[in-house]
Amino acid sequence: MKLTTIAAAAALAVASMSASAATYVPGTYTYKVNAHNAAMTVAVTVSKHKIEKIDWSKNLETIGVGQLALEKVGGRILEKQSLGVDGVTGATISSMALKYAVGECLKQAKVSAEDLKDLKKNVEEYKALPNTMKTQVVIIGGGGSGLAAAVAASQAGADVIVLEKLGLLGGSTNVSEGALNAADPIRQPKLGIEDSVAKHIDQTLKGGHNVGNPELVKHLCEGAYPAVEWLESIGVKFKDEVGTATGALWQRSHYPATPSGNSYIRVFEKYIAEHPNVQVITDIEAKDVLKDADGRVTGVLAKHNKTGRYTLFKAEKGVIIATGGFGANVKLRQEVNTGVFKDYDLGKSIGCTNFQKSAQGSGILMGKEVGANVIGMADIQVHPCGTPGTGLMEMIRTSGRNRVFINTDGNRFVNEGAARDVLAKAIFAQKDSTYYVLVNHLRYPSLTWVDRNGAKVGDMIDLGRVVAADTLEELAAKLKMPVENLKGSIDTYNAVVRGEKKDPLGFVANNKADKVMTEGPWYACQKVPTVHHTMGGLQINADAQVLDVNGKVIPGLYAAGETTGGIHGSNRLGGNAIADCMVFGRTAGTNAAQGK
């Protein structure tokens, strides 16, 4: 497998001398530490001169991010018998939490202060990459669109190098719910759902306020179901049930059978491991896209994060920019916020669902430097599923059916099936710009039932992030809201689901998917608006080729995913982002491999 996971800038980690053998009192010791998502308990077993085992299984870290960091860091501690190992870029908090907890356990094992000091000395060494590396296709970004492009380019016969500045793969796809919108001729008819590509196109254009590029929207929607089939051909398994992502406007969202968007990434990684014509280099940051005298893009200059060395990656056939959006770049999003949310402050008080280090818009800026046209930068999407304090999408999600949105007075205030911009603006209008998503046993049959994101409501309750109650009266008391309002909200919702009345807020029930919510246990999770997706970026055509300011193709340059503009208009439908990544990533990879 040519997957160069180096904790330092695309360099291969070279085994160095392990730390000198410390002395411990044999036994198993535990320590509870605050990690990224929640507290976790770490157990360390030691013999007289060796760390024998580290158990970090009692954690709630994110699949493919924090959990991956625990595996990598824990493995390195055992291998090197040292705490002086690198953390995983992009999962720093999880990495540091584990190292700290292990250190505290070793203190319990009576390690001496001198030995502990030695154990914390850095034991990593790095060998820099060559000054120049040649391949056929270079992809900047190892998220969903970048890896989709890599697989497609590989299938088209090209040699590929993927450059990822974090220490892990997946980007925003990795931490998404994984919803992929597609008009499905097999699943939807079995569920009694009427749909078509034409309907998907129409809703995408209208949902984006009719400013999306019809050519790109057509390519997206026509390619969505073929992308589902393509993903299945390389190992992704989708559920038979087709759901509705938040703001999807229709029941066409396909979800992987295993939890979350990380499912796609695991399949891509497996493919890469089995195909030596694809090499992935992590912890390396692309700095410049390069052109020759004829104006053709020929390569990428990138910097190793820890060695500080630069490498020139020459691309014989093409370069693909797939670096995501700029949702975490507060300064940039404030500068360009003249669109749908121009009347709202999208500054530091509003969180972001994306990786802080990667969602900075670097690919957009690099493309601009070589003459690419940039469009739609004012089109920023705010999602209703933010966690107070961070903006991350965690705990009970707003997607799906059988959930009610209530404000702090216990009243429904918006059509739960509305577009995301409508939902977010309605939340901003509530007291303290917050609300609760309310579900019951229909969504969580038991405290230990695992949802599609790999989470249990029992753990959410233990963390104090979800309020549980057997009755609405009890819930109203816990949330300090008028019980008559809360009951009235549920009664109205149930009447709409039963078909007894038309919802004054506009919610339209699905007679197969929506059920009346009458019995507890009830679960309420507080939410806030959060920046989720930036729809602006590099202008492309339906071949995923980047266009210049005159509308002409920049030879050798392609782009896919959130780094592009023009597809979603000024509001993206929930479930269209993964479709975008897969459809345009696949298109970019195939065309770049052919040097089109």
Side-chain angles (χ1 to χ4, degrees), residues 343-425:
D343 296 327
Y344 303 88
D345 180 14
L346 299 185
K348 292 182 179 179
S349 63
I350 301 294
C352 179
T353 64
N354 308 132
F355 282 105
Q356 184 69 30
K357 288 182 180 293
S358 57
Q360 296 292 324
S362 60
I364 298 172
L365 300 177
M366 281 186 282
K368 194 174 180 179
E369 286 295 317
V370 291
N373 196 35
V374 175
I375 60 173
M377 291 293 281
D379 299 328
I380 298 173
Q381 181 167 85
V382 177
H383 197 287
C385 195
T387 298
T390 66
L392 298 174
M393 288 202 298
E394 301 171 309
M395 308 303 154
I396 297 175
R397 303 299 178 96
T398 54
S399 296
R401 320 298 295 192
N402 305 312
R403 84 278 195 244
V404 175
F405 296 174
I406 56 171
N407 62 21
T408 55
D409 290 325
N411 295 315
R412 285 180 66 231
F413 60 94
V414 69
N415 166 13
E416 289 87 352
R420 289 177 175 177
D421 56 338
V422 174
L423 293 170
K425 287 181 178 181

Side-chain angles (χ1 to χ4, degrees), residues 121-458:
K121 291 179 180 178
N122 190 286
V123 294
E124 304 280 21
E125 293 181 9
Y126 303 95
K127 181 181 178 181
L129 291 172
N131 291 334
T132 302
M133 295 182 68
K134 297 179 180 180
T135 189
Q136 293 175 311
V137 176
V138 174
I139 300 172
I140 309 173
S145 58
L147 294 183
V151 172
S154 166
Q155 290 179 330
D159 292 331
V160 182
I161 292 178
V162 180
L163 307 177
E164 170 56 54
K165 71 177 177 181
L166 298 185
L168 51 87
L169 298 176
S172 295
T173 300
N174 208 10
V175 293
S176 73
E177 285 198 281
L180 191 166
N181 285 348
D184 189 325
I186 298 175
R187 293 174 179 84
Q188 286 176 305
K190 291 180 180 178
L191 297 169
I193 304 166
E194 175 273 323
D195 200 8
S196 66
V197 171
K199 186 168 190 165
H200 190 185
I201 291 172
D202 183 64
Q203 290 181 324
T204 298
L205 286 169
K206 289 180 179 177
H209 303 156
N210 293 308
V211 295
N213 182 321
E215 178 191 10
L216 299 183
V217 172
K218 183 173 183 287
H219 185 70
L220 170 73
C221 299
E222 287 183 344
Y225 185 69
V228 169
E229 295 180 304
W230 175 67
L231 289 164
E232 289 176 322
S233 74
I234 61 173
V236 175
K237 298 184 185 304
F238 289 96
K239 294 180 179 180
D240 292 331
E241 176 189 358
V242 179
T244 309
T246 305
L249 301 185
W250 201 250
Q251 195 173 344
R252 65 168 65 93
S253 303
H254 294 64
Y255 290 92
T258 50
S260 75
N262 175 253
S263 302
Y264 303 113
I265 306 308
R266 290 199 303 271
V267 170
F268 289 149
E269 288 178 325
K270 184 175 184 295
Y271 177 95
I272 291 168
E274 296 169 351
H275 292 79
N277 63 331
V278 184
Q279 181 178 0
V280 174
I281 304 175
T282 60
D283 284 284
I284 187 165
E285 183 172 0
K287 294 295 186 180
D288 293 294
V289 173
L290 306 176
K291 295 170 74 173
D292 63 17
D294 296 324
R296 181 177 183 84
V297 168
T298 57
V300 177
L301 185 66
K303 183 181 181 182
H304 307 158
N305 290 344
K306 293 209 173 170
T307 65
R309 294 276 300 275
Y310 284 84
T311 295
L312 171 59
F313 293 89
K314 291 186 176 181
E316 178 188 338
K317 294 188 173 181
V319 170
I320 301 172
I321 300 178
T323 54
F326 59 91
N329 189 329
V330 176
K331 182 176 182 293
L332 179 56
R333 75 190 191 201
Q334 284 182 303
E335 288 176 357
V336 301
N337 184 28
T338 58
V340 171
F341 288 97
K342 66 180 183 299
D343 296 327
Y344 303 88
D345 180 14
L346 299 185
K348 292 182 179 179
S349 63
I350 301 294
C352 179
T353 64
N354 308 132
F355 282 105
Q356 184 69 30
K357 288 182 180 293
S358 57
Q360 296 292 324
S362 60
I364 298 172
L365 300 177
M366 281 186 282
K368 194 174 180 179
E369 286 295 317
V370 291
N373 196 35
V374 175
I375 60 173
M377 291 293 281
D379 299 328
I380 298 173
Q381 181 167 85
V382 177
H383 197 287
C385 195
T387 298
T390 66
L392 298 174
M393 288 202 298
E394 301 171 309
M395 308 303 154
I396 297 175
R397 303 299 178 96
T398 54
S399 296
R401 320 298 295 192
N402 305 312
R403 84 278 195 244
V404 175
F405 296 174
I406 56 171
N407 62 21
T408 55
D409 290 325
N411 295 315
R412 285 180 66 231
F413 60 94
V414 69
N415 166 13
E416 289 87 352
R420 289 177 175 177
D421 56 338
V422 174
L423 293 170
K425 287 181 178 181
I427 298 163
F428 278 126
Q430 304 308 303
K431 187 190 305 179
D432 298 325
S433 297
T434 190
Y435 76 107
Y436 294 92
V437 56
L438 176 61
V439 302
N440 70 347
H441 64 89
L442 293 174
R443 284 282 288 262
Y444 289 93
S446 71
L447 294 177
T448 57
W449 184 81
V450 179
D451 67 19
R452 65 185 176 214
N453 299 297
K456 304 172 187 175
V457 74

Side-chain angles (χ1 to χ4, degrees), residues 396 402-406 436-445 447 457-458 461 466-476 478-479 483 486-494 498 515-525:
I396 297 175
N402 305 312
R403 84 278 195 244
V404 175
F405 296 174
I406 56 171
Y436 294 92
V437 56
L438 176 61
V439 302
N440 70 347
H441 64 89
L442 293 174
R443 284 282 288 262
Y444 289 93
L447 294 177
V457 74
I461 295 167
V466 167
V467 178
D470 290 329
T471 66
L472 289 176
E473 289 84 357
E474 181 187 356
L475 185 66
K478 287 185 174 181
L479 298 179
V483 67
L486 182 57
K487 282 187 169 182
S489 293
I490 297 300
D491 288 344
T492 298
Y493 177 83
N494 286 338
R498 292 190 186 102
K515 297 178 175 59
V516 294
M517 299 168 62
T518 58
E519 299 176 346
W522 298 90
Y523 306 109
C525 184

